[in-house]
Amino acid sequence: MTTELVRIAVGLAQQAGALVAAGRDQAGGDPAALEVAAKTTPTDVVTAMDRAAERLLAGELRRLRPDDAILGEEGAQAQGSSGVRWLVDPIDGTVNYLYGLPQYAVSVAAESGGAVLAGAVHNPASGETFWAGRGTGAWLSVPGRADQRLVVTGCDRLDLALVATGFGYDAALRARQAAVVAALLPRVRDIRRLGSAALDLCFLAAGRLDGYYETSLHPWDYAAGALIAAEAGAVLSGLRGRPLGAAVAAAAAPGLALALFGLLEDLGVG
Ligand code: IPD
């Protein structure tokens, strides 16, 4: 079953990616053409393309896997009887998308019995598709090139670690997140805030980062990326003995995990 779920996840992420990229091209330099509306705060936005891509994803899933459940960032929801549930984020990194920054992705994951079995994260701007099935290893597909197996870095020093994080949209939450970053920055090689949790996790898988953490995510932000990172050898944690989840998603190369997770706990994360 995993192979079939991976095939669908990759195909749908690429199909929805083509749609949102075409929408971005049509808008050109005019963000108003993207029909933006505010969600939880004025800075948390949804574009017409988020909604169109989620409709495409939900519609195709209904057609291909009518017995599966669906949960999408922009409200798509369907009950199912198969035990498989799809978690879809039509555009992870919507603010980057809005500004024309080439750092956004469609994320599609399939879970069953509480475990993610398949995940695909497609960045239409780079043409990269990161994907994994449980037990398949993690892979990067780029048109015209052979698929590349992904492996995390061998980093084992906190002071040499490149660590990514992200921030929520709520101002009070951001103030707490900023305090953690301020204490972490002098202890690591550097910090990155790239703007897409899904891509952060895939970049960790690809050895472009040594570690990543974020608080207050949603399952569609990290479901596919966390599987891809784990299949590339990353250690995942929710800190303080908990599994990675919406409250805390922490992930790191194995040599770094203990030191990074310990420091984050000391800084009050989780
Ligand atoms: C956001 C991105 C961002 C992260 C936020 C997410 P969205 O998702 O993943 O990197 O820091 O916490 O909400 O809103 O672009 O789908």
Side-chain angles (χ1 to χ4, degrees):
M1 174 164 77
T2 298
T3 312
E4 159 82 350
L5 298 178
V6 170
R7 195 180 56 73
I8 292 173
V10 168
L12 290 187
Q14 291 176 342
Q15 213 180 318
L19 180 75
V20 298
R24 192 71 198 69
D25 285 349
Q26 271 164 25
D30 177 15
L34 292 167
E35 294 175 49
V36 185
K39 294 201 291 183
T40 57
T41 70
T43 51
D44 180 11
V45 293
V46 56
T47 68
M49 274 299 147
D50 287 84
R51 291 183 174 135
E54 187 162 294
R55 273 197 304 276
L56 182 153
L57 291 166
E60 282 299 283
L61 285 170
R62 271 268 144 282
R63 188 176 67 78
L64 297 166
R65 305 264 319 172
D67 300 329
D68 294 355
I70 304 170
L71 180 65
E73 177 177 20
E74 310 309 341
Q77 218 164 347
Q79 304 299 318
S81 56
S82 65
V84 173
R85 181 170 76 150
W86 293 86
L87 297 159
V88 302
D89 190 343
I91 304 179
D92 186 60
T94 305
V95 174
N96 284 345
Y97 179 75
L98 191 60
Y99 280 78
L101 293 169
Q103 191 74 20
Y104 62 89
V106 182
S107 176
V108 179
E111 66 169 19
S112 180
V116 178
L117 301 181
V121 175
H122 174 64
N123 177 352
S126 68
E128 294 179 315
T129 307
F130 303 86
W131 59 270
R134 185 157 290 268
T136 69
W139 297 85
L140 170 60
S141 299
V142 181
R145 282 199 239 150
D147 284 358
Q148 180 195 338
R149 181 142 193 183
L150 302 177
V151 185
V152 294
T153 67
C155 177
D156 59 1
R157 281 182 53 181
L158 192 58
D159 59 334
L160 294 182
L162 187 61
V163 178
T165 190
F167 309 118
Y169 294 105
D170 174 74
L173 170 64
R174 282 185 167 191
R176 293 195 297 278
Q177 291 171 326
V180 173
V181 172
L184 188 61
L185 183 55
R187 307 284 300 272
V188 295
R189 180 193 293 272
D190 211 338
I191 297 280
R192 293 289 179 270
R193 197 294 192 243
L194 300 171
S196 161
L199 286 175
D200 287 333
L201 285 158
C202 293
F203 284 12
L204 173 65
R208 300 175 190 172
L209 296 167
D210 301 305
Y212 163 75
Y213 76 95
E214 186 161 351
T215 56
S216 300
L217 286 172
H218 299 284
W220 47 77
D221 294 319
Y222 62 81
L227 175 67
I228 292 162
E231 287 290 323
V235 179
L236 307 185
S237 174
L239 303 183
R240 302 179 202 285
R242 298 188 201 104
L244 176 144
V248 181
L256 179 69
L258 203 63
L260 178 63
F261 298 169
L263 178 56
L264 290 171
E265 289 178 4
D266 290 348
L267 295 175
V269 181

